[in-house]
Amino acid sequence: MRRAKDDKTLTRVEMEVMNIIWDHADGVTTREIQDAYPEPQPAYSTLATYMKILTEKGFIDSRKKEEGSKTFLYFPLISREEYTKKFMREVKESFFGNSFKSLLTFFAREEEISDDDLNEIMNIINKQ
């Protein structure tokens, strides 16, 4: 997959649309995105605007559903995992002075992680 430009991030609404697109990675129409959207569903024209923005930002691309059709299929150019890695790297750099330890400490305190979860995390870390 081609990577989105490094300086591009998703807004909350764009993330909602991208989550639907990621769930349909082989291609999804604007109407199918609208149908998958929770209530209240945005207007078709509003979604079409989001699709244009996401295309311009380099997160998605499109192709005609079938030859001669006016319907487009949209598909992601970056995976959910790639975007999550990029986003979390930026959070670590911006809010935690690029310190992984500070980031983990923050979440351990703020999320009130259970002892079982901490033990599981430690097992994962020890296997690395």
Side-chain angles (χ1 to χ4, degrees):
M1 288 186 163
R2 191 174 79 198
R3 295 184 65 95
K5 293 181 183 176
D6 288 339
D7 63 336
K8 302 294 183 187
T9 56
L10 297 168
T11 66
R12 182 188 56 79
V13 175
E14 291 167 354
M15 180 65 85
E16 290 173 3
V17 174
M18 282 302 298
N19 277 319
I20 295 169
I21 294 170
W22 281 321
D23 289 342
H24 301 87
D26 292 334
V28 63
T29 67
T30 304
R31 181 70 62 209
E32 290 167 334
I33 293 169
Q34 186 179 35
D35 291 344
Y37 221 91
E39 293 294 337
Q41 293 177 334
Y44 183 91
S45 59
T46 301
L47 281 176
T49 300
Y50 295 147
M51 306 314 281
K52 181 179 179 189
I53 292 168
L54 289 168
T55 300
E56 289 171 354
K57 283 185 164 185
F59 286 103
I60 64 172
D61 203 355
S62 63
R63 65 178 177 270
K64 287 195 175 183
K65 188 171 182 176
E66 37 197 55
E67 194 171 322
S69 173
K70 292 182 181 181
T71 304
F72 283 87
L73 285 174
Y74 293 92
F75 53 92
L77 294 176
I78 183 171
S79 70
R80 189 185 326 241
E81 182 179 325
E82 286 176 295
Y83 183 76
T84 301
K85 284 180 188 178
K86 174 187 168 301
F87 181 82
M88 290 307 297
R89 190 176 316 113
E90 290 174 5
V91 167
K92 182 182 74 167
E93 291 169 2
S94 298
F95 294 100
F96 300 98
N98 207 25
S99 167
F100 184 68
K101 178 182 170 186
S102 294
L103 179 130
L104 284 181
T105 302
F106 172 82
F107 282 109
R109 287 186 184 140
E110 294 300 315
E111 297 298 319
E112 300 176 7
I113 297 174
S114 71
D115 288 341
D116 288 342
D117 284 346
L118 279 174
N119 286 331
E120 186 176 343
I121 292 167
M122 289 305 299
N123 286 334
I124 292 168
I125 291 170
N126 288 331
K127 289 180 183 178
Q128 299 295 324

